[in-house]
Amino acid sequence: MVQFHPVELTKGFKAAKALADAYTWEEKLGELVKGETSKAVVEVRHFDDVSFGELIHNLKSDIALEIEHQSLPSDRTLDPKVKATWVATARKVCGYRVLMRWIGCEEDESEHDFWVNFCSADIHRIGWTSENRPNGAFYIPPQFLFDRRTDWPSFFVEKLSPLRTVVRQFETFKRQVTKCKLQVGERVELLDNQVSTRVRPATVVKTVGRRVCLTVKSTDCDGKHDPHAEDIGEERQYESDFWCDQSSYFIFHVGWAHLNDYTLYARDAYTKHAAEVAGALSKGVEPDWSGSDVRPETVMEWTESSDPKAFDVGMKLELLDPLDTTFNQLKVATVINILKRGYIVVGADGDDQEREAIPFHCTSNFLFPVGYAKKYGIKLVPPSNSDAKKFDWNSYLKQTQASAAPEFLFPHVPLAAEMAEKFPIGASLEASDLNESQLICPAHIVAIKGRLLEIGYDGWDSTYNQLFDYRSHDIFPLGWSEAHGYKLELPHGYQEPSKKKRKH
């Protein structure tokens, strides 16, 4: 029987086992113990900006790790401060989960194998126990192994001699897993996901790895005087949580709205401060920042190499609308304004184009060249009052006397063979629900459409599938939620194995 080693996280994070009804992948991993996993789970190294990608990829059977454990001999009483460790080798890798076998087990003793999350604080390189003996770390075999031998020290040395281990900096790398460039208490300007033509000040109230939880506080925005309150539901807009990635297109630095003449909805005190910041930035002068202000270099590190002048007002393109509730179709769209520092405003063609326009950085993964949807079999939503079946880009460009944005302005599309190798159809991963941003769910690859991945949520039918760029930070390796102490939702309709009805 394959065991699951409990995950111990960095101080301050709540272990997934303590989260009510969190999914652990236990049943899925149990099925993969005897099978090939390379096509069943998306490898960690194929996700953008995640920890340990290449390190996990290179875990082989001769890689040994020291692992803290609680399986102590029943007749031994140890000081509570003692940290018992033993050595295990890697057998199989599934995302962040690694199947391990204790040194001292025979080849046919797979019943003692166990899965451990590679990001767990209980995992160490060989040598950590010796270095931390003054702090109470000792090599002690698990209970089932303890009485098998009397020569453990010499056996230990003999078994370790041909093995390798991870780099010395491994302990430092583990501490960086939970790092976020935005800090709790800092303030940003946040695109209003109900009224996209404006931004509001928001405060970081929580961080989990790259993910940040933002709240629009009533101290910064006066809901009682919100001209849009009746339309969008005031109670949903204030003092409620919104989760996104630290580099989300929703997030801007303090002063961004004033700098770009974009509508800012805030109380007078913040409006005045933001105007002063924007004025200084436009003059090339260092602003008088507040201690909680998020500055341009924090959220705009990827803008310097881009050329915003390449996009022109009136250019046509296709848009994956991040404010749409479907996330599985593209829309005919137009560049309607050029902002500063690489930002452009894009609106889906139709009667609500101006009212529902969205600011994007010109390198955004939500933007696509004309013809992308047809090429990769994605539904294209034409302008309002147009027949989707009869829509033709060439005719429409002539009719509107517009030009298509050149393809070189858009993100590169990898070769189909490369995408298929990295993201096998059916392979498991974890994915945020773009409609309910606080939810991360077990999911799988349904299809590859150029640089877009069609993601299906386990237990849900295909009408709920969503499209993600392959570099999206809203998709994660298997085990990411567990490693960060974040709840992974149960698959729809899921029943724990012990609760399923037995067949007679």
Side-chain angles (χ1 to χ4, degrees), residues 373-504:
K374 182 178 181 179
K375 182 176 181 179
Y376 294 106
I378 302 171
K379 178 182 178 181
L380 180 65
V381 180
S384 53
N385 302 320
S386 296
D387 187 339
K389 294 182 179 180
K390 296 181 180 180
F391 179 80
D392 174 73
W393 262 116
N394 291 329
S395 300
Y396 185 64
L397 290 174
K398 291 179 180 178
Q399 174 190 335
T400 57
Q401 297 183 328
S403 62
E407 285 201 31
F408 69 82
L409 296 180
F410 299 90
H412 170 69
V413 178
L415 295 174
E418 178 186 347
M419 290 291 289
E421 177 68 22
K422 291 181 176 180
F423 303 98
I425 303 302
S428 293
L429 71 164
E430 298 176 8
S432 172
D433 180 346
L434 298 178
N435 282 311
E436 299 288 344
S437 61
Q438 77 278 12
L439 303 181
I440 297 181
C441 308
H444 56 279
I445 306 294
V446 173
I448 299 171
K449 300 176 181 292
R451 59 178 171 87
L452 288 177
L453 302 173
E454 182 178 349
I455 302 295
Y457 296 93
D458 292 2
W460 294 90
D461 66 51
S462 61
T463 58
Y464 294 94
N465 291 359
Q466 296 181 356
L467 295 173
F468 295 80
D469 187 89
Y470 76 104
R471 293 159 299 182
S472 170
H473 296 131
D474 289 312
I475 55 175
F476 316 91
L478 183 152
W480 184 96
S481 298
E482 178 184 50
H484 291 80
Y486 197 88
K487 180 181 177 181
L488 180 65
E489 299 298 315
L490 295 173
H492 183 59
Y494 176 77
Q495 244 186 330
E496 293 183 21
S498 60
K499 296 181 181 180
K500 291 180 179 178
K501 294 182 179 179
R502 295 182 179 179
K503 295 181 179 179
H504 297 284

Side-chain angles (χ1 to χ4, degrees), residues 159-293:
K159 286 293 184 181
L160 283 183
S161 59
L163 300 177
R164 299 178 297 152
T165 192
V166 293
V167 294
R168 191 174 188 84
Q169 297 84 354
F170 180 56
E171 302 299 325
T172 302
F173 293 162
K174 281 196 298 182
R175 290 192 293 271
Q176 295 174 347
V177 168
T178 56
K179 277 194 172 182
C180 181
K181 66 182 181 182
L182 297 177
Q183 305 300 313
V184 172
E186 289 186 327
R187 188 166 57 180
V188 298
E189 292 185 359
L190 178 69
L191 184 69
D192 189 330
N193 63 352
Q194 298 290 326
V195 185
S196 63
T197 53
R198 72 180 187 184
V199 299
R200 301 173 297 170
T203 302
V204 178
V205 295
K206 189 183 301 182
T207 65
V208 177
R210 291 182 56 101
R211 289 179 67 75
V212 296
C213 180
L214 299 164
T215 293
V216 176
K217 295 182 175 293
S218 56
T219 53
D220 289 325
C221 290
D222 183 3
K224 293 181 180 180
H225 297 93
D226 184 350
H228 295 280
E230 292 185 2
D231 298 327
I232 61 179
E234 178 185 335
E235 73 287 345
R236 185 182 175 187
Q237 292 295 300
Y238 300 95
E239 307 293 346
S240 60
D241 293 345
F242 175 78
W243 283 90
C244 62
D245 182 76
Q246 63 183 11
S247 295
S248 169
Y249 79 96
F250 276 110
I251 298 175
F252 308 94
H253 64 82
V254 168
W256 181 89
H258 275 292
L259 187 66
N260 286 284
D261 295 324
Y262 211 80
T263 302
L264 173 68
Y265 178 67
R267 289 185 182 272
D268 291 344
Y270 179 84
T271 300
K272 179 181 178 183
H273 172 65
E276 292 172 350
V277 167
L281 289 174
S282 63
K283 296 176 183 177
V285 178
E286 184 66 17
D288 183 15
W289 297 104
S290 164
S292 62
D293 289 346

Side-chain angles (χ1 to χ4, degrees), residues 27 48 79 171 312 343 348 418 450 484:
E27 190 174 3
D48 187 62
D79 187 309
E171 302 299 325
D312 288 326
Y343 283 90
E418 178 186 347
H484 291 80

